[in-house]
Amino acid sequence: MSSLKPILLVEDNPRDLELTLAALEKCQLANDVIVARDGEEALSLLTHRDPGSGEFTLVPAVVLLDLKLPKVDGLEVLERMKGDPETRHVPIVMLTASREESDLVRSYQHGVNAFVVKPVNFRDFFQAIRDLGVFWAILNEPPVTTRRPPASTYAKGV
């Protein structure tokens, strides 16, 4: 397992999930990608603690978060993460098909770090995901935190 923080991808659309994973793989990031298929699963992953140490078992480099999700929508996931002192520092990119201005405004009001509309064109979508992966997993310098669980606690999901 890599000692790098993983990328948490929260996506319920099977086609978009497959394309996103392929694009991230193509840019050859060393980060593992953990997949949650709804907002409830994402929150469960982000709040799970190791019973022995009490440390979080997942502290991602970035969360790529779809807006329209089953069970718990992306805005609620965003609001809960940014409202919690333990997870507010984690960068969140809203990755959505929505072009509604109200979704954009509400996302930024709740503290999203970036709002990216999924391109319809396959090549543009692929390039956008590659660019996001490279920026957030390689180029971005995250804040220093004291919560750094051992790499062995990260579970790769697909």
Side-chain angles (χ1 to χ4, degrees):
M1 283 270 166
S2 170
S3 63
L4 295 173
K5 290 181 177 183
I7 295 169
L8 176 59
L9 172 60
V10 188
E11 176 61 68
D12 65 315
N13 181 304
R15 181 179 174 273
D16 288 351
L17 176 61
E18 183 179 339
L19 288 174
T20 303
L21 289 171
L24 289 170
E25 184 177 320
K26 183 78 171 177
C27 58
Q28 299 180 340
L29 297 175
N31 307 68
D32 289 333
V33 178
I34 297 172
V35 174
R37 290 176 178 80
D38 60 59
E40 184 177 85
E41 183 180 5
L43 289 170
S44 177
L45 286 168
L46 289 162
T47 59
H48 184 265
R49 292 179 183 264
D50 178 88
S53 70
E55 294 290 320
F56 284 97
T57 56
L58 172 63
V59 181
V62 64
V63 176
L64 302 178
L65 180 63
D66 191 13
L67 184 62
K68 311 292 186 196
L69 293 167
K71 298 184 182 177
V72 178
D73 73 14
L75 278 175
E76 186 173 340
V77 172
L78 171 65
E79 183 177 5
R80 288 173 62 183
M81 285 184 67
K82 293 301 183 178
D84 183 338
E86 299 286 347
T87 57
R88 76 172 45 143
H89 71 281
V90 176
I92 301 173
V93 176
M94 195 63 76
L95 187 59
T96 180
S98 175
R99 294 186 178 277
E100 293 185 34
E101 186 175 341
S102 62
D103 288 335
L104 174 77
V105 169
R106 289 187 339 202
S107 294
Y108 278 109
Q109 286 173 338
H110 290 299
V112 79
N113 297 90
F115 189 97
V116 177
V117 177
K118 295 174 187 174
V120 176
N121 175 287
F122 171 77
R123 283 192 186 133
D124 293 343
F125 181 87
F126 205 80
Q127 187 60 48
I129 297 302
R130 287 181 61 195
D131 291 347
L132 284 171
V134 168
F135 177 80
W136 289 105
I138 297 173
L139 299 175
N140 183 53
E141 288 290 335
V144 177
T145 66
T146 57
R147 295 184 305 115
R148 294 188 186 266
S152 62
T153 62
Y154 293 136
K156 189 171 184 177
V158 176

